[in-house]
Amino acid sequence: MTRTKTEWAQRTFYEAGWAPLLVLVLFIIASQAFNAYQRFPALDIPTHFVGGAVIAFFVRRATANAESIVGEMPLSTHCALTLWGTALAAVLWEVYEYLSDHFLRTHMVYGLGDTVLDLILGMLGGITVLVLREGFGITFHSNPARRTVPGEV
């Protein structure tokens, strides 16, 4: 069944958009309400790992749903797109941290080593999701063929 790009985006955000949104909301609450990252700098490590994992989950779901538009893709394409999407998100997050420090006088970046570690942890989170999904068959959603997006017939 051929779907439109709007239906693809709606299905993807319905199935997987909650994960990055949840991590972002938890980050905002922890950093703004509790000043958690200043009080516990090591909290940055699991945050970047989980951030990479949820982005990989989202991108992998997006590529799976895209098959209804572009046709079947080999697993290697799904994995490559997922890793590149995760890498892009990690780099953009580090740019956000730098700009926040520069313009808002926050203290999110603790040098080049911190930035590189953050990027590595984000990618490890993404790789972990791919290994769990593709290597062990573990998914974090139900079979999309059995359910419909709200409003879809």
Side-chain angles (χ1 to χ4, degrees):
M1 169 189 260
T2 302
R3 297 188 187 277
T4 66
K5 292 175 186 173
T6 303
E7 291 169 327
W8 163 78
Q10 181 184 15
R11 176 171 289 280
T12 299
F13 281 99
Y14 176 74
E15 292 174 357
W18 60 269
L21 183 61
L22 176 64
V23 170
L24 180 63
V25 167
L26 290 174
F27 165 77
I28 291 169
I29 291 169
S31 63
Q32 299 301 311
F34 299 106
N35 202 24
Y37 292 92
Q38 294 299 318
R39 293 172 56 200
F40 308 104
L43 186 58
D44 188 55
I45 292 171
T47 301
H48 282 279
F49 180 85
V50 171
V54 297
I55 291 299
F57 167 71
F58 178 80
V59 175
R60 182 61 180 90
R61 191 74 237 135
T63 64
N65 289 340
E67 287 186 332
S68 65
I69 297 171
V70 300
E72 190 172 335
M73 292 184 276
L75 179 59
S76 60
T77 301
H78 287 287
C79 291
L81 290 171
T82 300
L83 291 175
W84 280 106
T86 303
L88 176 62
V91 167
L92 291 176
W93 188 262
E94 291 306 310
V95 169
Y96 154 73
E97 286 185 353
Y98 170 79
L99 293 175
S100 179
D101 282 2
H102 185 73
F103 292 110
L104 302 176
R105 303 288 185 237
T106 59
H107 302 286
M108 300 172 82
V109 178
Y110 296 103
L112 180 61
D114 174 64
T115 299
V116 171
L117 179 62
D118 291 348
L119 292 171
I120 291 169
L121 288 166
M123 291 308 297
L124 284 174
I127 290 167
T128 300
V129 166
L130 283 177
V131 168
L132 290 174
R133 187 183 195 288
E134 310 307 339
F136 296 104
I138 299 171
T139 58
F140 303 97
H141 55 83
S142 62
N143 185 349
R146 293 190 192 155
R147 65 182 166 144
T148 60
V149 175
E152 185 180 275
V153 180

